[in-house]
Amino acid sequence: MILVIDASCLITLAKIGRLTLLHELAEQVFVPDAVYNEVVTRGAGRPGHEEVARTSWISLRTVRDHTVVERLEVELGCGESEAIVL
């Protein structure tokens, strides 16, 4: 199974010390660039930052179709939109 994860999932699981649950559930765990930036880059010092940054089994993915992301961003955040497109 492949999981594509948004920021709220990463942050929540990190807060309760269960981020590894994702790795237990899926062979591959993908995080879009926008989600990584939200949790790790802009989220420095917040829950999930260190856990996600040091996790080797989470793979960063770049969205190719930004027109769909832009349409989704009318209703959703950038991270959620990128996760849906992936």
Side-chain angles (χ1 to χ4, degrees):
M1 177 187 337
I2 297 172
L3 293 177
V4 179
I5 306 300
D6 71 355
S8 60
C9 180
L10 294 173
I11 293 166
T12 302
L13 288 171
K15 280 182 178 180
I16 63 171
R18 296 291 290 152
L19 188 62
T20 57
L21 183 62
L22 297 172
H23 190 46
E24 293 169 21
L25 290 173
E27 295 171 20
Q28 296 179 303
V29 179
F30 296 149
V31 172
D33 293 328
V35 170
Y36 186 87
N37 289 333
E38 181 179 342
V39 176
V40 177
T41 306
R42 293 189 323 258
R46 295 183 187 158
H49 166 256
E50 286 185 40
E51 296 87 346
V52 173
R54 71 173 180 240
T55 301
S56 62
W57 46 266
I58 293 177
S59 299
L60 187 61
R61 291 289 187 260
T62 301
V63 172
R64 294 182 185 170
D65 190 348
H66 287 279
T67 57
V68 176
V69 172
E70 290 171 9
R71 282 190 227 141
L72 290 170
E73 285 181 322
V74 172
E75 298 288 328
L76 303 169
C78 186
E80 291 87 353
S81 298
E82 285 191 8
I84 290 169
V85 172
L86 283 181

